[in-house]
Amino acid sequence: MRLTKLTNDTICFLVKIYECNGTPTTVDELKKNCDISTGQAAIICKYLKQSNIIGTVRGRTGGVFLKKDPREIRIAPLIISLETRLRPIGCYATDSCNTCTRYGGRVFCDSLARSLDAFFRELGDKSLHDLCQPAETCPEQETQQTGHPKTLGDGKGA
């Protein structure tokens, strides 16, 4: 599965606002830290403001800030609201049962759909606050040490 650039940039935007510890930060600073364009920043700000997640303060010392407690900002619903097509990449499922115009059957597509479900189960009730906590281990380091990435859940993999 691949998230859109908008979703990725929005999460980056929120993380950078969180890191300011309640102090308003300018959109220019967020653009620089997230490496996004003025247009993309405007879209993200508009969406987050309409969703009542951020507030703005005008003036020389103004900027954007979190209106909600970071523990109340759930990541899974945020991703679902931003993504327009939550279907695993490659699946061209039709409305007709057991058909996919790319793979012929739905066995592979159903497996991909279950992986998408696993993705959202893993996010569960994770909040912005949870997302910003240091990881216990770095997945790249674990792969280098063991030769394989850490498995989730029951140890059978995703």
Side-chain angles (χ1 to χ4, degrees):
M1 185 181 86
R2 181 171 52 188
L3 297 176
T4 63
K5 183 169 176 10
L6 175 64
T7 300
N8 192 46
D9 291 344
T10 301
I11 292 172
C12 178
F13 216 73
L14 285 171
V15 167
K16 297 303 180 189
I17 295 170
Y18 173 90
E19 291 172 350
C20 292
N21 296 317
T23 304
T25 186
T26 66
V27 174
D28 284 340
E29 189 68 24
L30 292 167
K31 284 178 2 190
K32 182 176 121 191
N33 288 332
C34 295
D35 192 27
I36 60 175
S37 69
T38 301
Q40 192 77 343
I43 291 168
I44 292 169
C45 281
K46 181 179 178 182
Y47 169 79
L48 292 174
K49 194 168 181 185
Q50 287 175 343
S51 300
N52 207 30
I53 295 173
I54 65 167
T56 57
V57 176
R58 292 188 178 268
R60 190 172 51 85
T61 59
V64 297
F65 62 93
L66 293 175
K67 281 182 82 172
K68 292 184 174 183
D69 182 314
R71 291 173 179 86
E72 294 176 11
I73 301 170
R74 300 284 173 228
I75 299 302
L78 180 70
I79 291 172
I80 291 168
S81 70
L82 287 164
E83 293 292 322
T84 57
R85 184 177 181 263
L86 277 172
R87 183 181 293 164
I89 292 176
C91 179
Y92 301 124
T94 62
D95 291 336
S96 175
C97 188
N98 295 323
T99 61
C100 171
T101 58
R102 184 170 195 176
Y103 299 114
R106 288 286 300 270
V107 174
F108 184 65
C109 297
D110 289 344
S111 294
L112 291 175
R114 284 192 299 279
S115 71
L116 183 63
D117 291 340
F119 171 75
F120 284 109
R121 269 195 314 277
E122 176 63 21
L123 284 176
D125 285 332
K126 293 223 179 355
S127 68
L128 177 61
H129 174 77
D130 299 329
L131 196 68
C132 294
Q133 301 309 301
E136 292 177 21
T137 61
C138 177
E140 289 84 20
Q141 290 173 343
E142 188 163 313
T143 301
Q144 290 171 358
Q145 292 169 359
T146 64
H148 59 279
K150 178 181 175 184
T151 56
L152 303 174
D154 60 6
K156 296 177 183 174

